[in-house]
Amino acid sequence: TAQNRFAHFSTDYDTLLALGSEIALDWDKFLWAYSILDSRSIWWDGKRNLVPLLDLVNCMEVYEEDEDNKLVPNVIHSTTVDKNGENAVTKISHTVKVGDQVFENYGQPNHIYFLYHGFLLEHNTHDCALWDDIRIKQDDAAAAFNERQSTMQRLGQNGFSSFEPSFCIKDILSLHRVADFLRIKNSISNEDKLEGLGSDVNDYIRDMLQKTLYRYDQIISVRGERSEKERHEGNEMTYAEQTMLKLLHNERAHFQRALDELNQECYISED
């Protein structure tokens, strides 16, 4: 969070020496700079860069026909540096006419757009629901002292670098990584080297999805009742509140789709 970053930033000796206490210890200045970097940075070579004018290009998926006459979104934008290392270069990824607004496809899910930029896309092929509360806890068997080395090894073999990974959920295919992690979290033996969904974890995932959907329903219900009360009192929801509520509905739909497809897959398997 910004507060954690500020705590580290304001106690770093080199930072205090370079900026002085009037800047380094000023929360408002830090929050402004932090927000600028998060919302305006252009990335290349794994580093953030501030590029005036380029950061003004808005995001949108523009659909055009491909060679098979199918409508496809414009490709994700990419920025490089010219051979002199002086100018950032981003090539347009869709057809425009003189006077048309130029758009870029940032290629991110809506929760990233809302968190860092304050908007959502109505049509977003990269959208998904963030699932980041699945973790190996201290009381899990996988976290026990005598299991820790084995757990770290299994995590690495399955491409995980943390006890607290995050998942992007949109359909049954996005549940396969969740299944891989849950086998490790619950110390489920995997001598057959199963990958993805399977009878050993499907019920667990189904239960977690149902609980997640219940939480979304509770939050959406409370927010809806509050907005209705405020409307009667003559107060309308702010744009940020409306956008957050839309995001909640979108994410709930992703979780519901994943659960429906999982149930359908299990039903077919049982038959």
Side-chain angles (χ1 to χ4, degrees), residues 84-98:
N84 296 321
E86 298 178 350
N87 301 294
V89 179
T90 299
K91 295 183 179 180
I92 193 168
S93 59
H94 61 97
T95 304
V96 293
K97 300 176 182 177
V98 175

Side-chain angles (χ1 to χ4, degrees), residues 46-87:
K47 296 180 180 179
R48 298 184 186 216
N49 301 271
L50 293 179
V51 187
L53 296 183
L54 182 58
D55 64 355
L56 297 179
V57 180
N58 287 325
C59 176
M60 180 179 290
E61 286 194 350
V62 180
Y63 287 77
E64 296 181 320
E65 289 187 354
D66 63 8
E67 56 186 15
D68 296 322
N69 296 321
K70 294 181 179 179
L71 286 177
V72 295
N74 52 326
V75 299
I76 299 172
H77 80 97
S78 175
T79 300
T80 57
V81 182
D82 65 13
K83 61 182 180 181
N84 296 321
E86 298 178 350
N87 301 294

Side-chain angles (χ1 to χ4, degrees), residues 48-191:
R48 298 184 186 216
N49 301 271
L50 293 179
V51 187
L53 296 183
L54 182 58
D55 64 355
L56 297 179
V57 180
N58 287 325
C59 176
M60 180 179 290
E61 286 194 350
V62 180
Y63 287 77
E64 296 181 320
E65 289 187 354
D66 63 8
E67 56 186 15
D68 296 322
N69 296 321
K70 294 181 179 179
L71 286 177
V72 295
N74 52 326
V75 299
I76 299 172
H77 80 97
S78 175
T79 300
T80 57
V81 182
D82 65 13
K83 61 182 180 181
N84 296 321
E86 298 178 350
N87 301 294
V89 179
T90 299
K91 295 183 179 180
I92 193 168
S93 59
H94 61 97
T95 304
V96 293
K97 300 176 182 177
V98 175
D100 285 350
Q101 181 174 351
V102 173
F103 293 100
E104 289 180 342
N105 183 354
Y106 296 173
Q108 298 285 351
N110 276 334
H111 63 261
I112 295 294
Y113 292 150
F114 181 70
L115 179 62
Y116 293 106
H117 305 288
F119 70 87
L120 302 181
L121 290 185
E122 291 290 339
H123 303 287
N124 184 1
T125 56
H126 300 279
D127 195 26
C128 62
L130 176 65
W131 208 3
D132 62 354
D133 60 351
I134 305 174
R135 57 181 62 90
I136 297 176
K137 302 176 182 178
Q138 290 185 347
D139 56 351
D140 287 332
F145 179 77
N146 61 331
E147 292 290 332
R148 198 172 185 86
Q149 184 174 354
S150 174
T151 297
M152 294 294 292
Q153 184 178 11
R154 291 184 67 182
L155 286 170
Q157 290 172 344
N158 285 271
F160 296 107
S161 59
S162 169
F163 276 34
E164 303 178 12
S166 60
F167 303 92
C168 213
I169 305 302
K170 62 191 306 182
D171 52 25
I172 191 171
L173 295 178
S174 57
L175 296 178
H176 289 302
R177 290 288 288 161
V178 178
D180 293 337
F181 182 76
L182 290 179
R183 286 192 181 92
I184 303 171
K185 168 182 167 63
N186 295 325
S187 294
I188 298 174
S189 177
N190 193 18
E191 294 180 359

